[in-house]
């Protein structure tokens, strides 16, 4: 297979930098451009120079329509509104769109599903292998232990993270809910604040912490009478997410339109 021509949205951000570094050394990948707003000070800068490595001949650009017309895949760690617009363009270009953005509303998810009728979209609240394996363990534990065990999901991220709970926390919550044959929307517990009374049995609770430069810590607590199980994943380097996103971009080549996630990419889910 020839090299896939890759575009990185949000190239000047933390995750954009991580994806550039990983893509620059990956076999079978050719970086052709990064995307940022027209008023971003990095406009026109070489992607390699941007992240402190040798120049690679691909620059930051502002016109996604022109850039995606030349691409095979787009990796996107941006903001919901930007990702929605890019999903529409990926559908027009019929390319692979890897979405690591979090914080989507229900109506946004519907729009992404519509775009997936023409684009190959791989969307996940977390791109790492470890987190997706953790999700499988959480689903298994929730199913085995039943509603007699309370489930609380604790997450911590750097001070600049905009959404809460994190996309990864919601992914883990969805896994727990699936283990109980429910949707997360049916079981999500409102945040504990003030005089809330006793905790009802069954719902899944979330707590979000923000501070410092924490890449991402997630703990799923299953608390029963007289015992407690804690399942934890700690991200120490954003490279794990970048590697997963690249794997997803390559996996999607030739798959045809559809909405997938990292469980599909890693072969952890059987469809059909």
């Amino acid at each position: 297979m020839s090299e896939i021509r890759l575009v990185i949205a949000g190239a000047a951000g933390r995750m954009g930098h991580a994806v550039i570094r990983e893509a620059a050394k990956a076999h079978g990948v050719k970086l052709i451009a990064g995307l940022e707003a027209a008023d971003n000070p990095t406009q026109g800068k070489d992607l390699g120079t941007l992240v402190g490595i040798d120049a690679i001949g691909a620059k930051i650009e502002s016109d996604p329509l022109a850039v995606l017309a030349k691409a095979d895949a787009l990796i996107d760690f941006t903001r919901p509104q930007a990702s929605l617009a890019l999903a529409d363009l990926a559908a027009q270009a019929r390319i692979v769109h890897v979405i690591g953005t979090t914080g989507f509303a229900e109506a946004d998810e519907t729009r992404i599903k519509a775009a997936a009728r023409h684009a190959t979209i791989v969307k996940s609240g977390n791109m790492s292998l470890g987190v997706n394996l953790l999700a499988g363990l959480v689903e298994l534990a929730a199913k085995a232990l039943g509603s007699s065990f309370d489930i609380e999901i604790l997450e911590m991220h750097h001070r600049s993270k905009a959404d809460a709970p994190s996309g990864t926390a919601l992914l883990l919550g969805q896994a727990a809910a699936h283990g109980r044959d429910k949707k997360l929307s049916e079981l999500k517990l409102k945040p504990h604040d003030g005089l809330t009374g006793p905790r009802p049995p069954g719902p899944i609770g979330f707590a979000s912490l923000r501070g410092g430069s924490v890449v991402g810590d997630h703990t799923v607590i299953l608390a029963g009478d007289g015992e407690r199980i804690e399942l934890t994943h700690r991200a120490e380097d954003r490279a794990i997410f970048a590697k997963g996103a690249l794997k997803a971009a390559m996996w999607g080549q030739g798959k045809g339109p559809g909405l997938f996630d990292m469980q599909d990419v890693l072969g952890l889910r059987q469809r059909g």
Side-chain angles (χ1 to χ4, degrees), residues 52-270:
I53 61 176
D54 292 339
I56 57 180
K59 297 181 179 181
I60 299 284
E61 301 187 35
S62 62
D63 184 356
L65 184 61
V67 167
L68 296 183
K70 302 178 289 185
D72 299 307
L74 165 68
I75 292 179
D76 169 15
F77 289 90
T78 56
R79 295 291 177 93
Q81 288 307 307
S83 292
L84 291 172
L86 289 169
D88 293 341
L89 293 176
Q92 291 180 36
R94 286 170 164 71
I95 62 171
V96 176
H97 184 189
V98 178
I99 304 176
T101 306
T102 59
F104 292 102
E106 188 173 340
D108 299 336
E109 301 287 358
T110 300
R111 185 169 162 185
I112 290 171
K113 288 178 182 177
R117 291 200 290 265
H118 301 288
T120 306
I121 296 180
V122 182
K123 178 179 174 292
S124 179
N126 192 295
M127 295 287 170
S128 85
L129 173 61
V131 161
N132 283 281
L133 288 174
L134 174 60
L137 293 173
V138 169
E139 181 176 339
L140 180 64
K143 182 176 182 178
L145 297 174
S147 60
S148 63
F149 276 69
D150 300 317
I151 299 178
E152 293 281 339
I153 299 174
L154 173 66
E155 55 99 350
M156 182 170 184
H157 285 82
H158 54 88
R159 64 172 67 91
S160 299
K161 186 168 178 61
D163 58 312
S166 70
T168 302
L170 293 173
L171 181 153
L172 295 170
Q174 288 162 358
H178 192 262
R180 292 182 171 175
D181 295 319
K182 298 281 188 179
K183 294 181 179 179
L184 181 57
S185 58
E186 300 175 81
L187 296 180
K188 188 177 179 184
L189 188 64
K190 291 182 179 180
H192 307 296
D193 185 25
L195 189 61
T196 59
R199 188 192 197 283
I204 297 168
F206 293 85
S208 298
L209 308 179
R210 297 288 178 267
S213 58
V214 179
V215 174
D217 291 354
H218 293 85
T219 297
V220 180
I221 303 166
L222 299 103
D225 292 333
E227 59 183 333
R228 183 172 71 249
I229 299 166
E230 297 184 5
L231 301 171
T232 297
H233 179 274
R234 301 189 191 280
E236 299 175 351
D237 190 332
R238 287 183 179 81
I240 64 173
F241 311 126
K243 289 175 182 176
L246 283 169
K247 184 179 180 71
M250 299 181 79
W251 174 88
Q253 300 302 309
K255 284 292 185 297
L259 181 57
F260 305 95
D261 61 22
M262 286 302 290
Q263 299 279 315
D264 296 301
V265 173
L266 298 172
L268 298 176
R269 174 185 292 114
Q270 299 299 317

